[in-house]
Amino acid sequence: MSKQPEENTLAAPERARRRFLTQVAAVTGAALAPGMVLFEVSQARALDQPVSGKVRWGMLVDTTKCTRGCDLCVKACDKENGIHSHGRPETDSQWIRKIRLRDLHTGYVQFLPMLCQHCKYAPCVDVCPVGASFRRADGIVLVNRHICIGCRYCMMACPYKARSFVSEPLHDQVPWSPRGMGTVEACTFCVHRVDRGHKPACVDACAADGPGALVFGDMKDPGSKIAKMLAKEQSSEVRADLKLDTGVRYHGI
Amino acid sequence: MTGTSGHRRGFAPLLAAALAMLFFAWGPARADQPAGTGRVPLPVLPKATGKHCVKPTEWMRHNHMKLLFRERDLTVYKGEFIKGRSIEDCIACHVHREPDGQWPKPTSKKFFCETCHAYAAVKIDCFECHAAHPVKAPPGVGPNGGNPLPADAKPVPVGDLGAGAHELTPMPVSQGAGGGSK
């Protein structure tokens, strides 16, 4: 923590400058207050405050932009969360994967990333026998791996095959994404970034080097980019028939 | 029966004396002593880099796990972070490189936590998941956001793909309707 000089030790001009700045800030705040909220301010949360149900984090995937051959989101996720292959693809952890959809009648092929859909009515949370699967107030579905017993009911319950089980000892995990043997894991929406006001790694990677098919934000904030796009464009849930109210929506499927 | 109870009365003081002897013999051994005088040498803790811990050392010695349990639940369920008290902060202050430049393994007695836990016969599994040494996040990775991929990580152009190259990931691929598990 940087040390703030005490008010009474400041020279007179410095005190005057501070008073002026305080007044300016107060006036500006008042001018902004009626109906006008800065975008970043509306999303920021002090880290010492609990997450709020006034926010619901969500993702919109534009499948018309998602391209064949691109797996930047998958690579970014692996790098961000320290996910390494054990050389056994059937059992390696996958928090996000690319899926190919082909219309059986027309042969039309499209691609989309599949990840934890962060459902409002999450089947994984329903079936967890120990309460390790839970949904945070801001809509992020997580596994509390402190109490997960590794029974994998949640993996069976998930219609999206979004969860993975860690069956081997892991080494060199990254501090911001603890993972370990005997527990189930899935996409966390990069909760460590989101808590600090940033976007998930896949979204940043897709925007920086890829087609920019992923939009992330607070779906309950009418001023957010994702809320505006959801209001303007067609989007749907995968397996909407299950009425899970997913936090990930797809445009163009 | 009276003979038996008389027998018992005769043994009672002896038993009490034996218990007292046991207490005096073991009591002081249980208390903290300078290393070398006990049967099991006391742990020598690596020195922390910070000036002081989040609570006085004596308090932490007895209650650190209660503090960790309470605050991990705050963070996991409510997303609350208490500045300077995450497990990362503990590690940053208490874990140092060994003289050969390597980080101590969490199972080694040179590791801060294990030093005491080995002495007290406590087994923890924190570091089967949590990083056991400080890690500085490279640019773009970690809590500060950004693109985690290096700048030259461009998507493969569609033209370069041969037959079957759409199998981007080796997971079973959904074929239109339904899942694709094998």
Side-chain angles (χ1 to χ4, degrees), chain A residues 47 51 94 100 144 173 193, chain B residues 77-78 81 140 171 174:
Chain A
L47 273 180
V51 288
Q94 275 192 328
R100 179 176 65 110
N144 181 359
Q173 294 94 322
R193 290 170 165 241
Chain B
Y77 291 115
K78 296 186 173 175
F81 292 84
M171 274 292 276
S174 163

Side-chain angles (χ1 to χ4, degrees), chain A residues 201-236:
Chain A
C202 54
V203 178
D204 279 342
C206 188
D209 297 324
L214 306 176
V215 178
F216 180 85
D218 176 10
M219 298 203 294
K220 283 190 181 172
D221 172 17
S224 69
K225 189 181 173 190
I226 186 168
K228 285 179 183 164
M229 286 179 76
L230 285 172
K232 204 174 63 180
E233 290 177 8
Q234 175 273 342
S235 71
S236 53

